[in-house]
Amino acid sequence: MNTPVYRIRQLLKAYNGRRVLQIEHLDIQRGEAFAIVGPSGAGKSTLLRLLNFLELPTAGKIYFEATEFSATQEVPVEIRRRVTTVFQRPMLLNRSVWANVHYGLGLRGQHNATERTLAALEKVGLDSLKHQPARTLSGGEAQRVALARAMVLEPDVLLLDEPTANLDPYNISLIEKTVQGLNHEHNTSLVFVTHNIFQARRLAQRVALLLDGQIIEVASVEDFFENPRDPRTAAFVNGETVY
Amino acid sequence: MPKLTPNHTLIFLALLVLLTSCALTPPTEGPASETLQGQTLTLATTTSTEDSGLLEYLLPDFESAYQVSVDVIAVGTGQALQLGEDGNADVLLVHARASEDEFMQGGHGVRREDVMYNDFVIIGPPSDPAAISGLTDAPDAFKKIAASQAIFVSRGDDSGTHTKEKSIWAAASLEPSGDWYLSAGQGMGAVLTMADEQRAYTLSDRATYLARTLEGTDLVILVEGDPILFNPYGVLAVNPNKGPQIKADLANAFIDWLISVPTQEEIAQFGAEKFGAPLFTPDSAPWREK
Amino acid sequence: MSNELLEIVLLSLRVSGVALLISSLTGIPVGAFLGLRRFTGRRLLVALMYTGMGFPPVVIGLFVYLLLSNSNPLSRLDLPFLPALFTPEAMILAQSIIAFPLVAGFSMAAVMAVDPQVRLQVRSLGATERQTVLAILSEARLGVLVSVIAGFGGIISEVGAVMLVGGNIAGRTRVLTTAIVLETRKGNFEMALALGFVLLGLAFIANLVMLRLQGRSIEE
């Protein structure tokens, strides 16, 4: 269990000279469910984009297993394809439900993986809608399609950026159960961003508090909520405004 | 005398009222030119008079003498006649005698006068693949061009020049067709350019060809002087029954001025300095009686 | 007469169709590139392209004419990609140049109108650079189709350039627009109007076909 899938070292991300993220040292383990909490604007989404290799770091390095990712070193597409993100907005393509879920497989040349596509749709309970145009779905259905589209790729790491914000309790619970199933049954590493501390508590094994681009505290879920070391963590957990 | 239907009578009456009211509004006692002052004459003409620069040379005199302005629409003879027929022009300066006579017989015009003439020339590349250089018989030259299948660019636009070209083919008892015969459907200037590019033969009026030699062209005159190449210009006043917009008085004044001896002398001098030879020969009735 | 008319229609379609194919194959990728990439000199290129969109076609005709004219030393070399003046190929060259900035410009606008987050999402799903561009073009397909329609409208109805470089030669380079000019000059308004209605009809049918294709691609 103690094999890091990510090792973050002296990472810095700045936009136009403005620092948005600075992490000296952080490891994320293979197969763990890791939550990142913090107020909006803290740099949570930026961190996820870096973990998915969608943007280059300004300085420092992220190691994905043995592969280095830095300002001057992009990762090869085969490595990039072992990680994928479900964003807060489902961002479905203007195609059918089935074509959306099959899309990533098509990118990998697996054009005949019909059964896997169907299985993924069944897992989110939407196989009956496979021929529908994606734009006709409700918000909850669309996010479940987005999750199926990510799951079908069987990634080593699944990144989730506020995946259940603005959804109703039924869809939240369905998505949480599906994601948990992936973590437990397929040993998929989960890194998810949420502003909902209850969700972090339900899903995560470890939690990090990110404030103004910096990690304040990383702890097991029990310690984070019951025994925080930093007063700002305690304040955040208690629902107070923190800076 | 055509029979007047009630409809025609109505229009006639309306015109009469319009004309008299127009005539009565200003206190008119002066010479004709004063009543014409400020009017605009629409002249439809063939491209050759415009392209050669003749109108630019002549018209300012008329405009300042009568205190009027002249709008020139330079088109093919076919369209010029059509403009007159539709009442879109007051006066026409064209060169297609048969069509002009038809126009008059159709009642579209009320007056026709000879103005001047120039002539057509058969031009082509200096290499002269059909060997027509120096011939004095235009239909003969056309026969040799057809026989050698050398490229010939035709105006193909029913213009006066095109009409002349067709009459020469007819005189040669030939119906030109095939890859060598290019019907361009464009004005003289464009056809000269095409003939130059394609090293082809064509029929041109002398004025436009001479004007082009100043710009530079490889084409040379190969055949000239055949009476069939004679190209008379006529001026026609459009029938005022085409509508109230027709300026019949101004059109008449223009025609009188154009065929008058002083203007004809101007025509006789036009281009002599620039090209070494005049482009047009005056030929109006007053000029001939001089 | 109807045979001649058919010939004119077919030539118009062939010339504008081939020109449109060429300008689409070049203009759509260039538009996508300008819409998606940020690089130094991009603003200059975009300004040039917008200028091209509003460039008078007849001036392009003039440039192509001078390029192909016998008076130009280049044309004496008989380069294989340079057609002769007064041929359909010369008209295709001019029309391709006229349509190119229209297709590229409207494609760029269409691509830029796609939510930037789509790009991140597609890349996150494992798309290579090329696959990302294709996905965004596919999302922008309505706008890209509009760019092609705009290109077609720009060249099928263009008269000055094809008159200059084609020469309006009967049975060889006479297309609908130049035929309309000729018939009007001749005072043959009935024929000119008939040709005009054919031209309007073609533009209308082309738009209908495009709209049908677009409808189908959404239903896929």
Side-chain angles (χ1 to χ4, degrees), chain A:
Chain A
M1 172 86 188
N2 258 3
T3 339
V5 60
Y6 284 113
R7 286 175 290 139
I8 299 173
R9 300 292 181 263
Q10 281 87 43
L11 179 68
L12 173 72
K13 181 68 189 179
Y15 294 115
N16 299 321
R18 198 174 60 84
R19 187 199 71 186
V20 293
L21 192 66
Q22 185 164 26
I23 299 176
E24 289 306 309
H25 185 284
L26 176 68
D27 287 355
I28 295 171
Q29 307 299 328
R30 168 173 304 288
E32 81 168 323
F34 189 90
I36 302 163
V37 298
S40 32
K44 304 183 301 277
S45 297
T46 305
L47 176 56
L48 279 201
R49 286 198 296 274
L50 287 164
L51 292 177
N52 202 170
F53 318 111
L54 298 177
E55 290 177 14
L56 290 173
T58 307
K61 294 178 167 78
I62 298 174
Y63 294 95
F64 179 81
E65 295 172 348
T67 307
E68 179 188 313
F69 179 53
S70 69
T72 53
Q73 177 86 50
E74 290 215 48
V75 297
V77 68
E78 310 82 62
I79 300 293
R80 197 151 58 74
R81 283 180 174 169
R82 292 170 56 193
V83 183
T84 189
T85 308
V86 174
F87 292 96
Q88 179 173 350
R89 289 189 294 146
M91 297 319 298
L92 297 184
L93 300 174
N94 192 4
R95 309 174 182 194
S96 71
V97 166
W98 194 90
N100 264 282
V101 176
H102 188 262
Y103 176 74
L105 294 170
L107 294 179
R108 290 157 175 74
Q110 299 169 25
H111 296 287
N112 299 319
T114 315
E115 281 176 22
R116 274 169 68 186
T117 307
L118 264 181
L121 270 171
E122 276 167 20
K123 274 200 189 124
V124 295
L126 289 176
D127 44 317
S128 60
L129 297 183
K130 62 184 176 188
H131 294 307
Q132 287 238 15
R135 57 159 55 161
T136 63
L137 300 181
S138 73
E141 289 167 342
Q143 192 60 300
R144 279 148 64 193
V145 171
L147 181 59
R149 179 174 63 177
M151 267 172 19
V152 77
L153 302 175
E154 297 172 358
D156 291 339
V157 179
L158 179 61
L159 307 170
L160 302 127
D161 190 353
E162 304 270 17
T164 61
N166 310 322
L167 293 189
D168 57 277
Y170 168 76
N171 277 303
I172 293 177
S173 139
L174 197 149
I175 286 172
E176 285 185 0
K177 281 199 182 105
T178 313
V179 166
Q180 226 160 10
L182 275 180
N183 182 234
H184 293 164
E185 288 155 33
H186 298 277
N187 204 30
T188 307
S189 309
L190 301 179
V191 181
F192 65 98
V193 161
T194 182
H195 62 265
N196 179 342
I197 52 168
F198 302 105
Q199 185 167 56
R201 207 164 183 168
R202 284 197 296 272
L203 295 181
Q205 284 130 34
R206 284 200 301 155
V207 185
L209 173 65
L210 201 60
L211 260 189
D212 193 24
Q214 290 183 294
I215 301 249
I216 302 302
E217 177 164 358
V218 186
S220 71
V221 70
E222 296 81 13
D223 287 346
F224 191 89
F225 287 100
E226 310 300 339
N227 223 346
R229 269 174 288 136
D230 194 290
R232 287 169 291 182
T233 310
F236 185 78
V237 166
N238 287 327
E240 291 164 26
T241 313
V242 287
Y243 301 99

Side-chain angles (χ1 to χ4, degrees), chain C residues 87-122:
Chain C
T87 58
E89 288 70 29
M91 297 196 284
I92 289 171
L93 177 64
Q95 291 200 345
S96 303
I97 297 173
I98 293 165
F100 171 79
L102 289 168
V103 176
F106 281 110
S107 291
M108 182 186 81
V111 158
M112 287 174 75
V114 174
D115 191 330
Q117 185 97 42
V118 169
R119 224 172 138 187
L120 280 184
Q121 177 69 76
V122 164

Side-chain angles (χ1 to χ4, degrees), chain C residues 3-215:
Chain C
N3 211 0
E4 195 187 324
L5 182 66
L6 187 70
E7 226 174 56
I8 291 173
V9 171
L10 288 180
L11 184 69
S12 295
L13 285 178
R14 180 162 78 87
V15 167
S16 294
V18 174
L20 193 62
L21 190 70
I22 293 172
S23 52
S24 298
L25 288 178
T26 52
I28 294 174
V30 167
F33 183 79
L34 289 175
L36 296 175
R37 281 290 184 88
R38 296 289 171 273
F39 53 92
T40 40
R42 174 181 176 274
R43 291 178 65 159
L44 178 69
L45 284 180
V46 170
L48 281 176
M49 192 181 59
Y50 281 146
T51 311
M53 289 171 82
F55 212 67
V58 70
V59 178
I60 291 172
L62 173 64
F63 290 160
V64 172
Y65 181 92
L66 293 175
L67 176 72
L68 303 183
S69 166
N70 282 326
S71 58
N72 177 357
L74 258 182
S75 76
R76 301 230 175 85
L77 300 176
D78 273 333
L79 298 174
F81 53 88
L82 279 188
L85 265 184
F86 312 126
T87 58
E89 288 70 29
M91 297 196 284
I92 289 171
L93 177 64
Q95 291 200 345
S96 303
I97 297 173
I98 293 165
F100 171 79
L102 289 168
V103 176
F106 281 110
S107 291
M108 182 186 81
V111 158
M112 287 174 75
V114 174
D115 191 330
Q117 185 97 42
V118 169
R119 224 172 138 187
L120 280 184
Q121 177 69 76
V122 164
R123 211 172 129 74
S124 156
L125 290 167
T128 60
E129 196 61 31
R130 203 177 136 265
Q131 289 170 328
T132 307
V133 172
L134 287 177
I136 290 171
L137 278 176
S138 157
E139 287 300 289
R141 57 190 174 261
L142 175 59
V144 172
L145 274 169
V146 167
S147 82
V148 174
I149 294 172
F152 183 76
I155 55 179
I156 191 82
S157 58
E158 197 282 328
V159 57
V162 288
M163 185 71 94
L164 283 181
V165 305
N168 189 29
I169 298 171
R172 272 184 33 188
T173 59
R174 182 163 300 166
V175 290
L176 280 164
T177 52
T178 58
I180 289 172
V181 170
L182 173 61
E183 296 302 334
T184 307
R185 269 204 203 133
K186 283 190 196 168
N188 197 350
F189 296 122
E190 272 171 37
M191 185 63 187
L193 267 180
L195 289 162
F197 282 122
V198 173
L199 185 57
L200 283 176
L202 280 181
F204 187 66
I205 290 169
N207 283 357
L208 277 188
V209 169
M210 297 270 190
L211 287 172
R212 272 302 288 271
L213 286 175
Q214 172 225 330

Side-chain angles (χ1 to χ4, degrees), chain B residues 4-201:
Chain B
L4 282 178
T5 67
N7 235 347
H8 282 132
T9 321
L10 258 180
I11 292 172
F12 177 74
L13 282 174
L15 270 177
L16 200 70
V17 169
L18 206 76
L19 282 173
T20 40
S21 63
C22 282
L24 287 177
T25 342
T28 52
E29 282 301 313
S33 64
E34 261 174 43
T35 64
L36 299 174
Q37 222 167 34
Q39 290 195 23
T40 299
L41 180 75
T42 305
L43 167 66
T45 182
T46 64
T47 45
S48 52
T49 56
E50 171 97 339
D51 290 352
S52 63
L54 175 69
L55 291 177
E56 220 180 312
Y57 166 81
L58 288 178
L59 287 181
D61 288 349
F62 176 70
E63 287 175 327
S64 62
Y66 286 77
Q67 291 295 300
V68 296
S69 57
V70 181
D71 283 352
V72 176
I73 307 177
V75 290
T77 294
Q79 194 185 355
L81 291 168
Q82 186 71 46
L83 283 169
E85 205 173 315
D86 295 345
N88 289 328
D90 304 314
V91 65
L92 316 175
L93 179 60
V94 292
H95 59 90
R97 189 58 200 258
S99 310
E100 290 167 35
D101 290 344
E102 232 172 77
F103 187 85
M104 294 303 291
Q105 277 157 21
H108 304 302
V110 288
R111 182 180 177 193
R112 187 201 169 279
E113 298 280 353
D114 291 334
V115 178
M116 60 190 181
Y117 64 84
N118 73 342
D119 65 338
F120 289 105
V121 289
I122 302 174
I123 55 178
S127 58
D128 190 17
I132 60 167
S133 179
L135 292 181
T136 51
D137 187 278
D140 256 10
F142 272 28
K143 275 182 197 158
K144 293 187 85 165
I145 292 170
S148 70
Q149 307 261 297
I151 298 177
F152 184 96
V153 184
S154 164
R155 289 281 294 271
D157 60 353
D158 281 2
S159 60
T161 309
H162 186 213
T163 309
K164 175 64 74 180
E165 181 210 316
K166 283 192 286 193
S167 70
I168 300 174
W169 287 116
S173 314
L174 279 171
E175 276 235 16
S177 68
D179 276 350
W180 60 275
Y181 185 78
L182 306 182
S183 176
Q186 297 201 67
M188 198 67 247
V191 165
L192 284 177
T193 307
M194 284 178 73
D196 208 0
E197 288 284 350
Q198 305 275 69
R199 296 180 182 85
Y201 292 97

